[in-house]
Amino acid sequence: MKKNIFVIVTFISLFFISCSDKCIEGNQPTPASFFIEVIDENTSENVFQNGTFLSANITVTDVIDTEIPFEFVEGTNIIHILPKTTINANNIELKVTLNNPNTMETEQIFLKYNVSSQVEECYTSFHISNVLFPQNQSQYEEGVFVVKI
């Protein structure tokens, strides 16, 4: 009987020791992303709210015209860009194209950013920094880059 208890205690101890790492299955880093609000340079109105551009006619591409995933946030009329981040890199270029087929108006916003990584215990997290809009005035307000066109 004592031998059985010893085996059970040993088994339970090994189980807890082997599962004691701090990684939780399914625990993943938050994807690196950023938000852009586009406003009219003259009126300071959001260009989606005032109807200058349509949210259905937005494209985000890289320098070789590969589409970059994004979401349009309806309630606030901002663009949430989710670029691929798998390596450290500087001066990555993207292009946001706004289109209104009714008025035949098109606007392109060029931006550059850097990606850095941080190795965590269970995963590597990536961070976007130094977001610049070389051809547009912009400012960072409460987590959103406000870009004037």
Side-chain angles (χ1 to χ4, degrees):
M1 181 74 171
K2 288 183 181 183
K3 193 173 189 178
N4 288 342
I5 293 176
F6 178 75
V7 170
I8 292 173
V9 169
T10 303
F11 178 76
I12 291 173
S13 298
L14 287 174
F15 177 77
F16 284 113
I17 291 171
S18 65
C19 294
S20 67
D21 66 3
K22 296 177 184 174
C23 296
I24 299 170
E25 187 174 331
N27 190 10
Q28 296 292 320
T30 304
S33 65
F34 53 95
F35 296 89
I36 298 174
E37 179 180 12
V38 184
I39 62 171
D40 185 295
E41 187 173 39
N42 299 321
T43 65
S44 296
E45 293 179 312
N46 184 296
V47 297
F48 300 106
Q49 193 168 1
N50 70 11
T52 304
F53 293 103
L54 307 174
S55 62
N57 297 95
I58 302 170
T59 57
V60 180
T61 56
D62 62 14
V63 292
I64 57 173
D65 286 331
T66 302
E67 288 198 15
I68 303 299
F70 72 92
E71 300 170 343
F72 184 77
V73 183
E74 292 286 339
T76 55
N77 294 313
I78 60 175
I79 303 166
H80 181 202
I81 299 178
L82 301 140
K84 288 185 178 179
T85 50
T86 56
I87 59 170
N88 291 338
N90 292 327
N91 293 320
I92 299 171
E93 296 182 30
L94 293 183
K95 175 177 62 176
V96 178
T97 303
L98 309 176
N99 206 350
N100 187 334
N102 300 332
T103 63
M104 302 302 286
E105 190 171 352
T106 300
E107 187 75 39
Q108 293 183 328
I109 302 168
F110 296 91
L111 62 112
K112 293 182 177 188
Y113 63 92
N114 297 339
V115 176
S116 61
S117 65
Q118 182 175 352
V119 177
E120 306 287 341
E121 185 173 353
C122 303
Y123 50 80
T124 300
S125 60
F126 291 92
H127 307 280
I128 294 175
S129 61
N130 300 328
V131 179
L132 301 173
F133 300 86
Q135 298 176 6
N136 301 87
Q137 291 183 6
S138 66
Q139 59 191 41
Y140 189 70
E141 294 179 4
E142 299 178 17
V144 177
F145 291 96
V146 179
V147 181
K148 295 181 179 181
I149 58 169

